[in-house]
Amino acid sequence: MRPSHPAPLEASPKRKEFVSLAGDAVSPRPRRQTAAPRTDTGSRTQRINVRHAEARSSEGEVHFFLQRIAGGLYVEREEVPRRGTRTCQSLVFESPASFERWCSDDPVRFRHPLLHAQLRRDGDALWTVEP
């Protein structure tokens, strides 16, 4: 009759020792390195305070970078046409009203209405976040 469970090991298996070419016994290197401890200034905090939005078309690309800072809201707008000059604007808004006025005057609202809606949503969400 066979036992229903395996027999216990008499001794725990030992780690193998490697022998170097010089003849010395060398213990194996650990397979994993321990991860560095996370800090509060890691990617989670950055994801809360930073937003990216972009759109591509046959004419080129438009990229927006929004970040909540102590002075208000920092916005970078970069337009990369297929042919021509790349344009980059950097702005800091002190109030939500000034950001809304700028969004309503930006020509991207006609060419990329979904990007414009996302830009306004992200801007409104970042005003509620403390820097």
Side-chain angles (χ1 to χ4, degrees):
M1 180 173 178
R2 289 181 13 192
S4 61
H5 56 82
L9 297 174
E10 294 178 10
S12 62
K14 295 183 181 181
R15 292 178 63 177
K16 293 182 180 180
E17 290 187 2
F18 295 104
V19 178
S20 68
L21 296 177
D24 302 332
V26 179
S27 62
R29 292 184 181 153
R31 291 183 184 174
R32 290 188 191 173
Q33 298 291 332
T34 57
R38 292 186 178 189
T39 61
D40 290 339
T41 59
S43 62
R44 180 178 171 271
T45 306
Q46 189 177 22
R47 274 185 275 141
I48 293 172
N49 293 335
V50 174
R51 303 289 168 96
H52 299 276
E54 64 182 33
R56 294 185 176 99
S57 68
S58 61
E59 299 169 357
E61 301 175 6
V62 179
H63 303 272
F64 286 98
F65 172 81
L66 290 83
Q67 183 175 12
R68 181 72 163 109
I69 58 173
L73 182 65
Y74 173 76
V75 177
E76 263 185 31
R77 180 188 191 276
E78 184 178 18
E79 192 165 353
V80 185
R82 296 267 184 223
R83 295 176 189 248
T85 306
R86 175 184 292 203
T87 306
C88 185
Q89 297 173 337
S90 299
L91 305 136
V92 175
F93 298 100
E94 295 178 350
S95 68
S98 62
F99 175 71
E100 290 296 325
R101 279 193 309 273
W102 179 77
C103 282
S104 63
D105 291 339
D106 192 17
V108 79
R109 69 187 171 128
F110 299 113
R111 288 183 285 150
H112 304 286
L114 295 177
L115 175 65
H116 182 258
Q118 180 183 357
L119 177 67
R120 291 182 88 142
R121 270 194 315 268
D122 288 346
D124 290 342
L126 287 175
W127 281 111
T128 60
V129 174
E130 290 297 320

